[in-house]
Amino acid sequence: MIKNSIVNIFGYLKNSRNSKAIFYHDIHSSKLFTNMSTPLDMFEKHIKIIREMGFEIVSEITEEKNQIEISFDDGFVGIFENIDIINRLKIPITLFIIPSFLGEDNFLTKKQLVTMSKNPLINIQSHTFSHKDLSNLSEEILISELSNSKTILEDICEKEIVSLCYPMGMFSENVVSKSKEIGYKRQYSSLPGIYENEVFPEVKRRSLVQFLNVNQFKNILKGGDDFLNYWYTKKYFTK
């Protein structure tokens, strides 16, 4: 409650127009595939708010202000079952996929992923091979997690995979360095803030918004969570 109150106060005071990346895990109507899923009506309200506030939803942020980039982590099947809302509202999204989870309960199958990858609104990218904490791996396993995911997804989707999202938000300077060496041109953290205010070069900030009510969501878009950066950095980043 205290955090939400401060976010609302900072959002009101900042009233920022800076571009932001936001993320969810899944969407659902009747059947729930993860407790991190966002109800369909709430997601639609979020999209309406973004557009009413004058932001453009884009597949990749290219401007310092007035753009929002949306992604979904893990690859749950709810996004496939509710793809109509993505198509109807013409929302470009990025799906960060874990290849080793394909075909597991509640996750996309390989066939469904192929179908999704052919949708011009959907950008498929990597969430590593098996969703391990990258900051706590040996060099060999770290490289395997990063490279295997990239190779498998490129083979399935027949598209270049150039972006990475850190599992559980955990990363380190070594993770950033190895990811660049393997060919990830953009890396996404779970540290909130302005998109252009990179954690490291090409390491982007993202705000988790999956359970926010209307007022909270508006204030996140206005930059109300920027003040949380220090706390999130302590939680997710290891040197």
Side-chain angles (χ1 to χ4, degrees):
M1 289 178 65
I2 293 172
K3 184 181 78 172
N4 288 337
S5 295
I6 297 174
V7 166
N8 290 339
I9 292 169
F10 269 71
Y12 175 78
L13 293 174
K14 291 195 72 173
N15 198 24
S16 170
R17 300 296 308 175
N18 288 322
S19 297
K20 289 179 72 75
I22 62 175
F23 74 106
Y24 303 81
H25 281 85
D26 201 19
I27 50 177
H28 68 275
S29 50
S30 55
K31 187 173 181 180
L32 195 69
F33 296 97
T34 170
N35 59 9
M36 298 181 288
S37 184
T38 302
L40 215 56
D41 60 342
M42 179 183 289
F43 179 69
E44 189 161 4
K45 284 179 183 177
H46 285 185
I47 300 304
K48 184 179 180 182
I49 289 167
I50 291 170
R51 289 173 169 162
E52 285 179 346
M53 290 177 66
F55 289 94
E56 178 190 11
I57 303 172
V58 296
S59 58
E60 181 185 340
I61 290 172
T62 57
E63 301 292 338
E64 184 177 341
K65 295 184 180 295
N66 301 320
Q67 291 185 335
I68 298 294
E69 187 177 310
I70 297 175
S71 56
F72 287 79
D73 290 5
D74 298 345
F76 290 102
V77 76
I79 192 71
F80 181 83
E81 293 205 345
N82 295 283
I83 194 64
D84 284 353
I85 192 170
I86 303 299
N87 293 330
R88 175 169 56 84
L89 298 179
K90 295 181 172 59
I91 310 164
I93 61 172
T94 294
L95 301 184
F96 287 107
I97 301 296
I98 309 161
S100 67
F101 287 12
L102 291 173
E104 296 292 325
D105 288 346
N106 299 327
F107 290 92
L108 294 168
T109 65
K110 181 178 176 180
K111 183 177 179 180
Q112 288 170 336
L113 180 60
V114 170
T115 300
M116 298 283 271
S117 72
K118 293 178 180 178
N119 187 325
L121 290 170
I122 296 177
N123 176 29
I124 305 297
Q125 297 298 332
S126 171
H127 202 20
T128 74
F129 177 70
S130 60
H131 205 263
K132 291 182 172 68
D133 175 355
L134 298 180
S135 66
N136 194 31
L137 299 177
S138 69
E139 198 84 342
E140 181 181 1
I141 297 176
L142 172 60
I143 292 171
S144 174
E145 281 289 319
L146 295 169
S147 60
N148 285 349
S149 176
K150 190 175 192 299
T151 299
I152 291 169
L153 290 175
E154 287 179 341
D155 181 62
I156 292 173
C157 301
E158 298 181 343
K159 296 178 182 178
E160 187 179 15
I161 302 298
V162 295
S163 296
L164 168 74
C165 169
Y166 307 131
M168 297 166 279
M170 303 299 295
F171 71 110
S172 65
E173 290 184 22
N174 186 52
V175 168
V176 173
S177 176
K178 292 301 176 186
S179 299
K180 285 183 178 180
E181 289 178 15
I182 287 169
Y184 291 107
K185 298 174 183 177
R186 285 183 300 280
Q187 301 173 43
Y188 288 81
S189 73
S190 297
L191 307 185
I194 300 166
Y195 186 83
E196 292 298 319
N197 183 19
E198 296 176 326
V199 186
F200 292 101
E202 300 308 320
V203 177
K204 308 298 185 181
R205 298 180 183 276
R206 293 189 308 162
S207 297
L208 181 64
V209 298
Q210 59 198 22
F211 296 138
L212 299 185
N213 64 34
V214 167
N215 193 49
Q216 292 166 346
F217 187 71
K218 285 181 179 178
N219 283 301
I220 290 290
L221 296 185
K222 293 177 182 178
D225 61 348
D226 292 358
F227 85 100
L228 295 173
N229 177 61
Y230 175 79
W231 183 81
Y232 278 97
T233 300
K234 294 284 286 185
K235 181 179 180 180
Y236 293 122
F237 175 69
T238 57
K239 294 184 179 180

